[in-house]
């Protein structure tokens, strides 16, 4: 480790982090793979790429075994615990749930460090394949495709950092402090110095770079991958752009990107001419068959031999204890009973499960409690449709917004509850639909974050972090779709202006990086 260098770079400094990818990919790598040899033949380059996905799925925790940082499970778990639609029942997520984090709290520290470790692996891949093309080891088309994968992961990772450590784009059109957008592989003393000199820039600058990376990914990724949805495709890059532009409030941009994926048709079922994406007829199918369904666009793969483990895999952390999971996080009765979640909705009957040990309801989206092979869903076609529905609604095209909303909603609700005309507040109905459709998929905090300053759809009273239930407030009788009781949260909302809305840059970074030492978030 170079003197004075931030610890997160250690994970992929001179080696490309492939020591454990055999478990993840079932490919036998070399026992160690230095960058001087990693890009000398096509098979080794594929190992480098697989190592990047291993880092995305499992990461590391306190220098040891992974706990699903950053995308194996942690991005979903953390984003749900920052919201109010799931209830933390134990100490494991207490800091995140209660917003009592500081610059040394494990969850936010590891999220920052492991995201930047992943970004560096993406940069190592990008730099290496560029050299391999120049040396004639791989063709330019193959090299461009690998670079596009690296850029996709780099864009996804930087956006994950933005929604936790920075103010939303809506504040000053992105004029607030962003995160360092790392585009250089840190693999030499000179690169270390360059990395240390890079400041936070602005949120707007980060979004511009994210879109630049995704434009490149769209242009150079294939429509299909032999690894299925475990590797990004052209459609995945476009889908992610609908999300990014939604966070920017660029409604026309959301519509334009979504149109590429088939959201502009005005009759018949929605399907994408790129990638062949379409909604499954049953909302449970994408979770019963993570690797083989028409709706998933990009997911992070896990396997029995490589996953976040009992302390980091989605089924272990979010599942009920009577089926072998830890029973740490229950669905909030206030979501379960919400008036907008109608009686007879399949997403309640098929994707919620009663824990007979405590009488509470838990998500049933991740259900392999024994070997923990459930994949982490990053983006589905349902999200693309709802992203575009919101953009159409906000720009006045009520008819198309309603078609897109109904496409997602109608497969789950009884006929009597289907919308035949637009609700009085269509945008609100779309936002409520997101809470149901993406429950336990980590989309709640990103929505809270992007809507924080929205005068019509942000949390009321200037709240930035919603009021939440304490675990002692709920029991089996709290869940009742006939009487639909509402429980007044015992944990007060936290104002958007409160410093706790943002996570702090970790002490491990601040103490080693003189540039960021002067750019810590206020209050920490």
């Amino acid at each position: 480790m170079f003197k004075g260098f931030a610890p997160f770079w250690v994970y992929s400094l001179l080696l490309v982090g492939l020591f454990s990818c055999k478990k993840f990919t079932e490919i036998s790598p070399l026992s160690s793979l230095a960058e001087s040899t990693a890009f000398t033949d096509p098979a080794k380059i594929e190992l480098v790429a697989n190592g990047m996905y291993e880092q995305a799925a499992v990461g590391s925790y306190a220098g040891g075994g992974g706990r699903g940082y950053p995308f194996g499970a942690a991005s979903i778990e953390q984003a749900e615990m920052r919201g109010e639609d799931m209830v933390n029942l134990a100490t494991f997520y207490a800091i995140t749930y209660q917003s009592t984090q500081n610059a040394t709290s494990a969850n936010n520290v590891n999220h920052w460090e492991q995201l930047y470790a992943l970004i560096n692996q993406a940069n190592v891949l990008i730099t290496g394949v560029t050299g391999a093309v120049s040396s004639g080891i791989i063709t330019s088309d193959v090299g461009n495709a690998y670079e596009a994968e690296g850029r996709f992961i780099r864009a996804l990772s930087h956006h994950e950092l933005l929604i936790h450590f920075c103010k939303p784009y809506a504040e000053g059109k992105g004029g607030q402090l962003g995160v360092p957008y790392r585009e250089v592989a840190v693999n030499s003393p000179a690169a270390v110095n360059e990395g240390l000199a890079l400041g936070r820039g602005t949120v707007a600058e980060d979004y511009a770079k994210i879109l630049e990376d995704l434009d490149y990914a769209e242009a150079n990724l294939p429509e299909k991958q032999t690894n299925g949805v475990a590797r990004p495709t052209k459609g995945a890059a476009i889908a992610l752009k609908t999300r990014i532009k939604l966070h920017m409030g660029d409604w026309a941009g959301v519509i334009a990107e979504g149109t590429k994926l088939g959201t502009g048709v005005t009759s018949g079922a929605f399907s994408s001419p790129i990638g062949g994406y379409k909604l499954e007829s049953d909302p449970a199918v994408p979770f019963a068959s993570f690797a083989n369904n028409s709706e998933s666009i990009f997911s992070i793969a896990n396997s029995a031999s490589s996953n976040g483990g009992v302390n980091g895999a989605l089924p272990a952390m979010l599942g009920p204890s009577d089926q072998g999971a830890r029973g740490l996080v229950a669905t909030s009765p206030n979501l379960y009973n919400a008036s907008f979640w109608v009686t007879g909705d399949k997403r309640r009957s098929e994707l919620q499960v009663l824990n007979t040990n405590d009488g509470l309801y838990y998500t049933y989206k991740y259900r392999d409690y024994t070997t923990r092979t459930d994949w982490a869903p990053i983006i589905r076609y349902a999200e693309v449709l709802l992203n575009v529905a919101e953009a159409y609604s906000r720009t006045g095209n009520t008819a198309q917004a309603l078609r897109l909303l109904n496409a997602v909603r109608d497969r789950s609700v009884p006929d009597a509850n289907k919308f035949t005309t637009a609700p009085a507040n269509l945008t609100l109905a779309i936002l409520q639909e997101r809470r149901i459709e993406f429950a336990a998929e980590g989309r709640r905090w990103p929505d809270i974050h992007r809507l924080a300053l929205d005068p019509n759809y942000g949390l009321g009273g200037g709240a930035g972090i919603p009021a939440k239930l304490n675990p002692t407030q709920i029991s089996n009788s709290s869940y009742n779709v006939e009487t639909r009781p509402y429980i007044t949260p015992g944990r007060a909302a936290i104002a958007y202006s409160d410093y706790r809305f943002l996570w702090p840059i970790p002490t491990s970074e601040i103490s080693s990086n003189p540039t960021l030492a002067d750019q810590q978030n206020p209050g920490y």
Side-chain angles (χ1 to χ4, degrees):
M1 178 177 174
F2 297 111
K3 183 177 180 181
F5 184 59
F8 59 77
W9 293 115
V10 154
Y11 297 104
S12 49
L13 186 56
L14 293 175
L15 299 177
V16 292
L18 302 178
F19 299 105
S20 60
C21 74
K22 179 179 179 181
K23 291 182 179 179
F24 182 64
T25 65
E26 306 303 327
I27 298 173
S28 298
L30 303 178
S31 59
S32 62
L33 198 57
E35 283 190 53
S36 59
T37 60
F39 298 95
T40 56
D41 68 58
K44 291 175 183 176
I45 293 171
E46 178 65 9
L47 289 179
V48 177
N50 278 307
M52 179 176 68
Y53 294 106
E54 166 77 352
Q55 169 64 24
V58 180
S60 177
Y61 183 83
R67 287 192 181 177
Y69 291 100
F71 290 114
S75 60
I76 291 173
E77 295 162 353
Q78 298 269 62
E80 292 297 347
M81 289 299 89
R82 298 201 75 186
E84 79 280 40
D85 287 343
M86 302 185 81
V87 181
N88 177 67
L89 304 175
T91 58
F92 198 97
Y93 289 127
I95 290 174
T96 301
Y97 190 73
Q98 298 171 9
S99 299
T100 55
Q101 68 275 353
N102 59 47
T104 62
S105 300
N107 281 345
N108 50 282
V109 167
N110 277 278
H111 215 48
W112 172 282
E113 291 182 349
Q114 296 306 308
L115 280 163
Y116 273 116
L118 175 58
I119 289 165
N120 199 46
Q121 287 208 5
N123 288 334
V124 166
L125 176 64
I126 291 167
T127 301
V129 297
T130 301
V133 170
S134 298
S135 301
I137 296 167
I138 54 176
T139 67
S140 59
D141 286 347
V142 171
N144 292 343
Y146 274 125
E147 179 175 347
E149 290 191 62
R151 286 192 176 215
F152 179 94
I153 294 297
R154 187 168 73 185
L156 179 70
S157 300
H158 279 104
H159 191 246
E160 182 73 11
L161 288 159
L162 284 169
I163 64 173
H164 289 296
F165 295 92
C166 303
K167 291 293 183 70
Y169 188 91
E171 180 162 329
K173 292 297 182 183
Q176 300 297 313
L177 282 175
V179 294
Y181 205 93
R182 309 279 184 184
E183 299 175 278
V184 175
V186 178
N187 52 12
S188 69
V192 171
N193 292 331
E194 183 175 348
L196 289 172
L198 185 64
R200 292 180 65 175
T202 68
V203 168
E205 289 168 344
D206 286 333
Y207 272 90
K209 287 184 176 294
I210 287 170
L211 290 174
E212 181 183 329
D213 275 344
L214 292 177
D215 285 342
Y216 184 93
E218 177 189 353
N220 291 281
L221 284 170
E223 286 196 25
K224 297 283 187 179
Q225 291 272 22
T226 56
N227 306 75
V229 299
R231 299 279 280 264
T233 58
K234 181 184 296 291
I238 298 168
L240 188 53
K241 282 199 284 182
T242 71
R243 178 188 294 177
I244 299 304
K245 289 178 180 287
L246 194 73
H247 277 258
M248 299 172 71
D250 178 5
W251 314 126
V254 175
I255 292 167
E257 298 298 337
T259 299
K260 300 174 187 176
L261 299 183
T263 63
V265 298
T266 56
S267 63
F270 292 100
S271 62
S272 174
I274 297 173
Y277 312 115
K278 61 182 180 180
L279 293 175
E280 293 286 351
S281 60
D282 191 303
V285 170
F287 305 96
S289 180
F290 283 96
N292 185 27
N293 69 85
S294 65
E295 186 170 331
S296 295
I297 296 177
F298 178 67
S299 299
I300 296 295
N302 289 283
S303 70
S305 57
S306 185
N307 57 65
V310 70
N311 288 325
L314 284 162
M317 302 301 285
L318 302 184
S321 60
D322 67 347
Q323 297 195 41
R326 297 192 62 186
L328 300 179
V329 179
T331 299
S332 170
N334 286 345
L335 175 64
Y336 192 92
N337 300 331
S339 60
F340 56 81
W341 196 349
V342 300
T343 302
D345 192 316
K346 291 180 181 179
R347 291 167 294 188
R348 189 186 286 110
S349 59
E350 296 182 13
L351 294 173
Q352 294 288 317
V353 61
L354 177 67
N355 183 356
T356 58
N357 287 339
D358 59 17
L360 309 182
Y361 280 86
Y362 291 72
T363 184
Y364 195 53
K365 288 183 173 178
Y366 318 107
R367 59 193 72 166
D368 182 2
Y369 308 113
T370 303
T371 57
R372 301 182 287 274
T373 59
D374 299 86
W375 292 17
I378 302 300
I379 193 162
R380 297 190 284 121
Y381 195 52
E383 183 187 339
V384 173
L385 299 187
L386 291 179
N387 290 347
V388 180
E390 182 179 339
Y392 273 124
S393 180
R394 288 181 180 269
T395 54
N397 190 336
T398 299
Q400 191 66 0
L402 181 61
R403 290 187 192 99
L404 289 159
L405 169 61
N406 282 344
V408 177
R409 189 174 183 273
D410 284 359
R411 63 177 175 170
S412 298
V413 302
D415 289 343
N417 296 110
K418 293 178 179 179
F419 294 135
T420 55
T421 59
N425 192 331
L426 179 57
T427 299
L428 178 61
I430 293 167
L431 294 172
Q432 290 171 336
E433 185 68 18
R434 294 176 69 89
R435 293 176 68 179
I436 301 169
E437 180 66 25
F438 305 127
E441 291 182 61
R443 303 309 322 146
R444 183 57 183 148
W445 174 253
D447 279 350
I448 292 169
H449 184 269
R450 71 180 176 89
L451 297 169
L453 295 176
D454 192 305
N456 298 312
Y457 304 109
L459 296 173
I465 298 175
K468 303 178 185 182
L469 297 174
N470 288 316
T472 55
Q473 293 184 268
I474 63 174
S475 64
N476 179 253
S477 62
S478 304
Y479 300 85
N480 192 317
V481 294
E482 294 182 3
T483 61
R484 296 186 181 268
Y486 176 79
I487 303 171
T488 301
R491 182 162 294 280
I494 296 173
Y496 173 76
S497 58
D498 191 288
Y499 74 95
R500 290 171 290 178
F501 183 80
L502 300 183
W503 279 352
I505 299 174
T507 297
S508 57
E509 175 77 44
I510 294 298
S511 63
S512 313
N513 190 328
T515 303
L516 296 190
D518 295 328
Q519 297 181 339
Q520 176 63 284
N521 285 327
Y524 298 102

